[in-house]
């Protein structure tokens, strides 16, 4: 992979933000800020990393539905 130092840093920062979001360590807004992008662009880019935008456990989803 032939990347400039700047491009490598940008991609590494974005990948780290995606992983921390996937691990539920960061909210989507915080991850977007880490990735230095807006939240919508960050969320739309998750598919490139095979990460779901919505990261609910079945129990959490059922609880949210019951509380609605």
């Amino acid at each position: 992979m032939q990347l400039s130092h700047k491009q490598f840093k940008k991609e590494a920062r974005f990948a780290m933000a995606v992983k921390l979001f996937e691990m539920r360590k960061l909210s989507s807004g915080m991850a977007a800020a880490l990735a230095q992008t807006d939240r919508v662009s960050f969320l739309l880019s998750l598919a490139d990393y095979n990460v779901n935008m919505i990261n609910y456990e079945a129990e959490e989803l059922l609880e949210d539905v019951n509380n609605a």
Side-chain angles (χ1 to χ4, degrees):
M1 190 184 322
Q2 296 290 324
L3 298 175
S4 68
H5 181 70
K6 183 177 179 180
Q7 185 64 27
F8 176 80
K9 283 177 61 175
K10 180 180 177 184
E11 289 191 24
R13 187 181 317 107
F14 201 95
M16 180 172 58
V18 168
K19 189 61 180 178
L20 289 170
F21 172 77
E22 181 182 35
M23 294 170 58
R24 304 177 87 181
K25 302 291 185 186
L26 293 179
S27 67
S28 60
M30 292 173 69
L34 176 62
Q36 297 180 339
T37 190
D38 63 278
R39 184 171 172 264
V40 172
S41 296
F42 176 78
L43 288 170
L44 292 174
S45 296
L46 290 175
D48 297 338
Y49 293 84
N50 295 318
V51 172
N52 293 321
M53 272 188 222
I54 299 173
N55 187 341
Y56 275 125
E57 298 292 329
E59 298 83 27
E60 290 175 301
L61 184 57
L62 184 58
E63 185 178 322
D64 280 355
V65 168
N66 288 334
N67 290 331

